[in-house]
Amino acid sequence: MGNIKFQNALSRTPQMTPPIWFMRQAGRYHKHYQALRAKHSFIELCKNAELAAEVAMGPIQDFDFDVAILFSDLLFPLEAMGMGLTYDPSPKLGWNLTDENLKNLRSPDEAFDGVLFQREAVRRTRERLPQDKSLIGFVGGPWTLFTYAIETEHKGGLKDSKRMLRLFEPFCKKLVPLLKKNIQLQLDAGAETVMIFDTSAGELEPYLYLDRIVPQLEAMVSEFPKRVGYYIKGGTSAHLRHRLFQEGTPLAGLGYDHRFDIRQVLRGEKFGFVQGNFDQALLFLSPDEFKMEAERYLMNLRALRPEERAGWVSGLGHGVLPATPEENVRQFVRLTREILK
């Protein structure tokens, strides 16, 4: 069971055609999602297993991606820890983390019931997927969830999060055990791999990231050797100068955003999968212009021998943006398989 191309990428078996999945491939840009969202709230779509599976299936049926992704949200662990959560339409916590209310966070055991709904969502999605498709789950990175817990408005710079850095370690003493439980339940329910999406970590300078954040990541992934991948948005090669991101790591692989030259990454990385990294904003080009840019990107990768691009999972630098033209998504999948065959 599962997609052979994705399994080859996990094991770094050379192949001509890579598997394809996009971050946020099930979401606001897609008519299938829009039709469901017109009838149901976002929280219903996430917490009702049948609906979550239906959302996840949409892009598989429409665009023929090789991998489906659990349809959920990064912030549900914060809700489970007692911080409240609404979407109207953007997420808003009931309260933000301070020195005074840190003690009000629920323990990992108390909070676990608040993420259990994802178990059935993963199971139901796996049941509906064709046998030749893979399924991944995800959780948020500790720093990213910390920034959402702190910031009233989640904008660039994250000044409040950095100003209150003293709270990060005590926050992680409750958060990280919960995230480990969350990873385990997704794997037990049928996810082949679970991604850690750390979309705010690139806002930190590398030394601070390596000193404060990476130890929490190590604690998360060490119990799941080769089952958990990691994505850092806006990171640099300096952020990745740590044994966690080198050969011998327990990580299953890494996702790279469009700021990296994916050819250099593929030549240099010697472990696990390499996911990425076409610039998602280029999907807004006219169809003809998009075709030209996608072909340029893919031809550069075709110039590498299959052994040089072993482990590659074709995707975007980040997630599909709202209002992305569906035809360009469809065209990217088609071109990838035509050019890299």
Side-chain angles (χ1 to χ4, degrees), residues 1 45-54 56-57 68-72 115-129 134-139 182-194 227:
M1 182 183 292
L45 294 180
C46 293
K47 292 192 174 184
N48 180 299
E50 292 291 336
L51 292 174
E54 178 61 27
M57 287 297 299
I69 309 168
L70 165 68
F71 185 76
S72 196
V115 296
L116 273 176
F117 67 91
Q118 291 183 343
R119 176 184 293 165
E120 190 56 32
V122 172
R123 284 177 179 163
R124 186 66 188 115
T125 304
R126 180 64 268 177
E127 287 171 0
R128 291 194 55 187
L129 277 172
S134 284
L135 174 63
I136 65 171
F138 70 91
V139 296
N182 200 350
I183 290 170
Q184 187 66 64
L185 80 83
Q186 292 183 33
L187 292 173
D188 290 345
E192 293 168 46
T193 302
V194 173
R227 301 297 304 278

Side-chain angles (χ1 to χ4, degrees), residues 4-5 8-9 12-20 66 266 298-299 301-314 335-341:
I4 187 63
K5 293 186 179 70
N8 284 342
R12 296 187 64 83
T13 301
Q15 57 189 347
M16 289 298 296
T17 308
I20 309 167
D66 295 293
L266 286 165
L298 293 166
M299 290 297 290
L301 281 152
R302 193 174 77 167
L304 301 181
R305 292 178 291 108
E307 292 78 12
E308 290 181 295
R309 46 185 163 89
W312 182 40
V313 179
S314 178
L335 288 171
T336 299
R337 291 174 178 153
E338 288 176 357
I339 291 172
L340 299 166
K341 63 182 180 180

Side-chain angles (χ1 to χ4, degrees), residues 50-65:
E50 292 291 336
L51 292 174
E54 178 61 27
V55 176
M57 287 297 299
I60 299 296
Q61 295 167 332
D62 193 348
F63 307 114
D64 194 31
F65 288 110

Side-chain angles (χ1 to χ4, degrees), residues 53-278:
E54 178 61 27
V55 176
M57 287 297 299
I60 299 296
Q61 295 167 332
D62 193 348
F63 307 114
D64 194 31
F65 288 110
D66 295 293
V67 182
I69 309 168
L70 165 68
F71 185 76
S72 196
D73 191 72
L74 295 178
L75 300 183
F76 288 124
L78 299 183
E79 179 189 43
M81 293 170 74
M83 298 191 71
L85 182 63
T86 58
Y87 293 85
D88 190 27
S90 58
K92 183 176 177 59
L93 297 173
W95 46 274
N96 293 98
L97 191 65
T98 65
D99 294 273
E100 291 73 27
N101 62 29
L102 178 67
K103 63 183 182 298
N104 295 335
L105 292 174
R106 293 176 185 147
S107 71
D109 289 340
E110 292 171 324
F112 185 53
D113 283 351
V115 296
L116 273 176
F117 67 91
Q118 291 183 343
R119 176 184 293 165
E120 190 56 32
V122 172
R123 284 177 179 163
R124 186 66 188 115
T125 304
R126 180 64 268 177
E127 287 171 0
R128 291 194 55 187
L129 277 172
Q131 294 289 304
D132 64 348
K133 302 296 184 182
S134 284
L135 174 63
I136 65 171
F138 70 91
V139 296
W143 174 254
T144 295
L145 291 175
F146 179 72
T147 64
Y148 274 101
I150 292 288
E151 303 284 335
T152 302
E153 294 186 5
H154 202 258
K155 295 183 177 180
L158 304 176
K159 296 186 293 295
D160 288 341
S161 300
K162 295 172 185 178
R163 178 175 59 83
M164 300 180 73
L165 193 59
R166 63 188 178 276
L167 295 182
F168 180 65
E169 187 171 344
F171 173 74
C172 284
K173 286 183 179 179
K174 292 189 175 181
L175 176 70
V176 168
L178 175 61
L179 293 179
K180 288 162 70 173
K181 288 173 174 284
N182 200 350
I183 290 170
Q184 187 66 64
L185 80 83
Q186 292 183 33
L187 292 173
D188 290 345
E192 293 168 46
T193 302
V194 173
M195 288 295 294
I196 299 173
F197 290 139
D198 221 352
T199 54
S200 297
E203 293 280 356
L204 289 168
E205 58 93 5
Y207 178 79
L208 184 59
Y209 171 78
L210 294 170
D211 186 55
R212 300 290 190 92
I213 312 307
V214 170
Q216 302 296 339
L217 295 173
E218 285 189 293
M220 285 178 63
V221 305
S222 60
E223 294 182 20
F224 312 100
K226 304 304 179 184
R227 301 297 304 278
V228 177
Y230 180 69
Y231 168 86
I232 175 174
K233 180 184 177 184
T236 66
S237 57
H239 288 84
L240 303 179
R241 289 173 185 160
H242 189 276
R243 62 179 179 272
L244 184 63
F245 310 117
Q246 297 168 6
E247 195 169 359
T249 177
L251 280 173
L254 292 172
Y256 291 84
D257 73 15
H258 55 280
R259 297 167 180 85
F260 284 86
D261 183 337
I262 200 73
R263 297 167 298 177
Q264 292 183 9
V265 172
L266 286 165
R267 288 190 181 110
E269 188 169 301
K270 302 302 180 187
F271 75 92
F273 66 81
V274 173
Q275 194 273 335
N277 72 341
F278 188 77

